[in-house]
Amino acid sequence: MKIYMGTSYGSIHIRSTDTEEIVEIVKRLAAQEKLKFLISPCINGWISVYSSEEGQNPTVIKAIAQQFSGHLINLILYHDDFFYYEYYRSHQLINAYSSDPEYFGPISREEKSRLTGKPEVFADLLAELPNNQTTIEEIAELLTVASEEEREEIYQRSLEILKNLESGANHADLSELPRDEVFQAAKQFSDFAKLFNISNASTCYEYLQNDEDEKIERWSEFVHIPDPSIELAQKQREKARRDRVLTELNIAGILLVTVSIGLVFDF
C-alpha cells in the first residue's frame, strides 16, 4: 500500500505585462470567493497568480478567464500523484490534460479523451515566446505517461532498493532510485512550466505564506490580496469594538470578569 503523501501545487500563469489589470481582476474575485491571493510581477512575459486552498479551487481560473482574453495556463500537481493543466484563450477553455484521468474513479471514454492533452493548440502561444525553442513534438513527448503496469513496476523496484538500504546495503544504492520515474507527475509539472518559460511554478499560496520563498524569483515584488494592512486594520477595529462592549458591560455591573479559555489535552 502506498502511504506517501506528496506535494501539492497550484497556480495560474497569465500571458500579460499589465500587472495592474490582473491585480484589479483578482481583487474582485477575492471579494466574491473569500479567497486570498499572491500575484507575482511580470517575469518572462508571465504574471503568476497563487490562490489559497493550494491553488486547487477550480472556480478561480474560470473567473479570471471570463475577464481576461489572452493566454492563461492553470498548473496543478496533486500529491505528486498526477499533473493537471487547463489552457484558456479568448475566454474559452481550449485544452485540459491529466496525467491520470481516472485518479478519482472511472470516467467516460469521451471525458478521458478530453483529458489526454492536445499539444498542437499551443502553436500560437509558442510563437509569442521570445527566444523559445520549444516544439509541439516536445510537448507531446512530455505528456506521454507510463502505463499503470509500468508505474507499478517502477514503484516495486524503488521499494526493493529502499528495503536493501534499510538492511544495511551500500548507500550508493540511493543513486539507483528512479526518482524521475516514481514521481513522474512532479517532473512533468516542472518540465511543462520550463517549456513555456514559466518561473516560480513549483509552489503555492500556503508554501509562500509559510516563508518557503528562498528560491522564488523577485519575491519582494509579490502583491498580496487582500492588502494585509487592510485585514489588520479590520481585526483591530473588531477587537476595539469587543473591548468597548466588554467595558460597557463591566461598568453596568453585568459582566464581573472575563476568562480566557485555552485547549487542554490530557494524554
Side-chain angles (χ1 to χ4, degrees), residues 104-248:
F104 295 110
I107 58 176
S108 68
R109 182 180 302 176
E110 293 77 11
E111 181 67 4
K112 194 171 183 179
S113 175
R114 186 183 73 83
L115 294 171
T116 56
K118 296 177 176 57
E120 63 275 9
V121 303
F122 293 106
D124 290 344
L125 173 56
L126 292 178
E128 293 184 16
L129 303 182
N131 305 316
N132 188 284
Q133 304 301 316
T134 299
T135 65
I136 298 297
E137 290 72 24
E138 286 178 297
I139 299 175
E141 182 179 355
L142 185 146
L143 299 183
T144 303
V145 299
S147 66
E148 181 61 35
E149 293 76 14
E150 290 172 321
R151 291 200 297 270
E152 184 61 27
E153 181 181 338
I154 292 166
Y155 175 71
Q156 293 301 330
R157 180 151 53 95
S158 295
L159 276 185
E160 187 64 31
I161 294 172
L162 290 172
K163 287 177 182 178
N164 290 340
L165 288 169
E166 288 176 358
S167 64
N170 192 326
H171 283 276
D173 288 352
L174 278 170
S175 62
E176 297 179 24
L177 283 170
R179 289 183 176 83
D180 287 351
E181 297 172 90
V182 174
F183 304 115
Q184 186 182 35
K187 187 173 188 302
Q188 273 187 299
F189 178 95
S190 60
D191 286 353
F192 188 88
K194 290 176 184 175
L195 287 178
F196 292 91
N197 294 343
I198 294 174
S199 299
N200 302 328
S202 296
T203 190
C204 66
Y205 176 90
E206 283 74 14
Y207 285 11
L208 292 170
Q209 285 296 90
N210 289 328
D211 298 325
E212 297 186 27
D213 52 35
E214 297 86 355
K215 298 181 180 179
I216 299 301
E217 188 175 349
R218 296 172 62 184
W219 167 242
S220 63
E221 300 174 54
F222 277 53
V223 176
H224 191 281
I225 295 176
D227 187 329
S229 63
I230 295 176
E231 277 195 299
L232 179 59
Q234 289 174 337
K235 290 179 180 178
Q236 289 173 337
R237 285 196 297 271
E238 178 60 23
K239 183 179 183 302
R241 187 191 67 80
R242 289 198 305 269
D243 290 345
R244 185 173 63 254
V245 171
L246 291 175
T247 300
E248 291 172 353

Side-chain angles (χ1 to χ4, degrees), residues 27-93:
K27 278 182 179 178
R28 293 191 291 270
L29 180 58
Q32 294 167 6
E33 300 293 335
K34 307 302 181 186
L35 293 170
K36 297 180 181 181
F37 295 85
L38 282 163
I39 302 176
S40 79
C42 178
I43 304 173
N44 300 329
W46 294 99
I47 297 171
S48 300
V49 175
Y50 307 83
S51 69
S52 50
E53 301 180 357
E54 296 182 336
Q56 311 282 321
N57 189 319
T59 65
V60 175
I61 181 67
K62 295 176 184 177
I64 295 177
Q66 287 175 358
Q67 301 177 66
F68 183 82
S69 63
H71 304 280
L72 300 96
I73 300 179
N74 188 22
L75 297 180
I76 289 177
L77 177 67
Y78 186 79
H79 289 307
D80 282 332
D81 285 337
F82 73 85
F83 161 53
Y84 176 79
Y85 76 67
E86 291 176 310
Y87 170 49
Y88 280 79
R89 185 180 66 228
S90 301
H91 307 294
Q92 301 293 321
L93 175 61

